[in-house]
Amino acid sequence: MHQLQPVLAGIRALPVSVRSAAIAAIVLLAGFALIAALLGHPDRVALFAAPLHTEQLSEVQDQLAAWNVPFTPSADNVIVDAARRNDLLLRLSLAGIPHAHVETTGEALANVGVLTPAAVIDAQTRSGLAGDIEVALRSVDGVDDAWVIVAPAQQAEFADESTHPATASVRLQLHPGAVLSRDAVAGIRRFVAASVAGLDAASVTILDDRGVALGDGTSADDPSSLQAALQSALDAALGGGVAIVRVHAEYTHATTEDRETQRSAAGADPIERAQSSESYDGGGKKYSKNDEHDERGTDTREWITHADPGALARVSTAIFVDSARAPDLAKVRELAAATVGYDPRRGDVLTVQAVAFHHGLVQKHDGWFLLYGAIVPLLPALAIVAGLLAFGRYLLPSVNAVIRAALEREGIARTTRSVAGYAPARVRGALANEPPHAAAAIISALPAATAAAVLELYPQHEREAIVKRMQRVHSSVIPSAEELLARHA
């Protein structure tokens, strides 16, 4: 503070006009700085035209933060740079953000009153419960979105009616390339069943975005999924366009049952013993035969295996590899067997063959290909250039003569201006190296007395040539034929 006192004292000592001018300058500079800051600051607009719900706003903010995009959150929208609005909307749309808003149980029952009918309350409860399940399924790995329909149980009220248990249908929109495992599908089924009172897991139907029903093991064993997985693996190992994969799966259409029984001896003796003996007495004419069969105690075990309809019965896989790439078929077979889960005991078929792929027709060119393809298209341009050169060569002498005449006239005019005030002897000295036509043109522009005096200084033959030139009518633009012939002689 003590250090500022001399400065403040110096400011107070300044005249009032100086202080007023300084304050005005500071205020003006601050105003200019504020205006520059406002003009330089980018326009800020709301990213979405309609307000967002709470979960949608959270999704958008998380995604923008992951992309490192600057934004300003508001109560129901986000404020971004106006120049980047369209780009951000496109990126969010491709990412599937934000998801469509669904009513949860809290929102569905928010307007329920004392006088609301029970049927309406039940319908809103089911709608809110379906919304709760959809929001929860969106967080499952590989699931982009989900739609749930819950059908309540129907109790029979009359003798001719039947009772129907509660059911649920789930449609999943999977992330591109995502495949749900057996455990994931089973977990989703149990989750939906546990969310609805009285719903059995067997009554939950799950579909993917292709309309394929997902069972306890059908998603991982689906032929299209197996084919896509094997094709991507071969493309990554061999390169694109080297292998063609086709997978066909067969499923059981009826319930099957396999029984296996195993018997083992109870002790050290065998399970069964059979003995036969025969005797014959010739004197007494007697024949006897004795058969003995002993069966001892055994331990018996029986295994019964049930297979429901729709279980995977056999997988047939065919792989065709381009023979031009010289692939190792044994390694390709090992990779395919591991990818599709090849099981020979189940009757699976795996075929790997190297064939010649069709790569399109190769054009064959004759010896004149270069002439046809390169020179022939240039012939019109070459002809035009040759014509221009010939025409220019024909007109070149005339054009050259015109240019030279123009230069000579310019030199004559310049010389005329320079010798206008000279004495006749000095003019004669300036025209010493000029040809007769140039001297005639210059002398003609001089006063009559000066021109006569200059002509008297020339010898007889030069004077006659100059006078002859001065008496002839001459075009100032086009030289005469004699001049052209004399110049090109």
Side-chain angles (χ1 to χ4, degrees), residues 100-378:
H101 174 68
V102 293
E103 288 189 351
T104 59
T105 303
E107 294 175 335
L109 299 179
N111 298 324
V112 173
V114 178
L115 301 179
T116 305
V120 175
I121 296 177
D122 293 340
Q124 291 181 347
T125 302
R126 290 194 303 272
S127 177
L129 183 59
D132 293 336
I133 298 174
E134 291 175 6
V135 173
L137 292 179
R138 287 174 180 175
S139 61
V140 176
D141 188 18
V143 177
D144 286 345
D145 208 345
W147 295 267
V148 178
I149 301 175
V150 178
Q154 183 178 359
Q155 301 295 332
E157 297 181 358
F158 301 96
D160 57 348
E161 293 181 352
S162 58
T163 301
H164 299 285
T167 59
S169 300
V170 181
R171 180 183 178 273
L172 301 177
Q173 180 180 348
L174 302 180
H175 190 73
V179 178
L180 295 180
S181 63
R182 183 196 309 266
D183 295 337
V185 175
I188 293 175
R189 178 174 285 107
R190 289 194 294 268
F191 173 78
V192 175
S195 302
V196 181
L199 179 60
D200 186 44
S203 299
V204 179
T205 302
I206 303 177
L207 299 178
D208 62 3
D209 46 4
R210 300 165 299 169
V212 178
L214 304 179
D216 290 336
T218 55
S219 62
D221 299 330
D222 181 63
S224 60
S225 301
L226 293 176
Q227 179 174 312
L230 180 56
Q231 184 71 63
S232 62
L234 291 177
D235 290 344
L238 305 178
V242 180
I244 299 175
V245 179
R246 294 295 181 267
V247 178
H248 174 72
E250 298 179 6
Y251 302 93
T252 59
H253 300 284
T255 302
T256 59
E257 179 178 311
D258 295 334
R259 292 178 176 269
E260 182 180 355
T261 303
Q262 181 179 1
R263 299 173 61 191
S264 59
D269 296 332
I271 298 175
E272 293 184 3
R273 184 177 66 85
Q275 183 177 2
S276 177
S277 61
E278 297 181 3
S279 63
Y280 174 72
D281 186 2
K285 303 293 184 179
K286 294 181 180 180
Y287 173 80
S288 63
K289 182 179 181 182
N290 186 18
D291 292 329
E292 296 181 2
H293 180 79
D294 295 335
E295 184 173 353
R296 298 175 174 84
T298 61
D299 293 333
T300 304
R301 295 182 180 180
E302 185 177 15
W303 289 269
I304 301 176
T305 304
H306 295 274
D308 296 329
L312 185 64
R314 186 175 66 172
V315 176
S316 300
T317 306
I319 304 174
F320 302 96
V321 187
D322 190 2
S323 59
R325 303 294 293 270
D328 190 342
L329 299 183
K331 293 183 178 180
V332 173
R333 182 180 180 86
E334 293 178 1
L335 176 62
T339 303
V340 302
Y342 174 68
D343 188 0
R345 296 174 300 177
R346 189 173 54 189
D348 292 356
V349 178
L350 178 58
T351 302
V352 180
Q353 293 184 2
V355 297
F357 281 14
H358 177 70
H359 296 286
L361 298 177
V362 179
Q363 297 181 356
K364 295 183 178 180
H365 307 296
D366 54 14
W368 297 97
F369 166 71
L370 182 60
L371 177 63
Y372 296 149
I375 300 179
V376 172
L378 296 177

Side-chain angles (χ1 to χ4, degrees), residues 416 439-447 451 466 469-471:
T416 302
I442 295 173
I443 295 173
S444 299
L446 297 175
I466 294 174
R469 296 277 184 172
M470 295 173 61
Q471 294 176 349

Side-chain angles (χ1 to χ4, degrees), residues 24-34:
I26 293 173
V27 172
L28 187 62
L29 290 176
F32 282 146
L34 180 61

Side-chain angles (χ1 to χ4, degrees), residues 404 437 469 480-489:
R404 290 179 59 186
H437 66 278
R469 296 277 184 172
S480 64
E482 295 179 357
E483 291 180 1
L484 293 177
L485 293 175
R487 294 170 184 173
H488 293 286

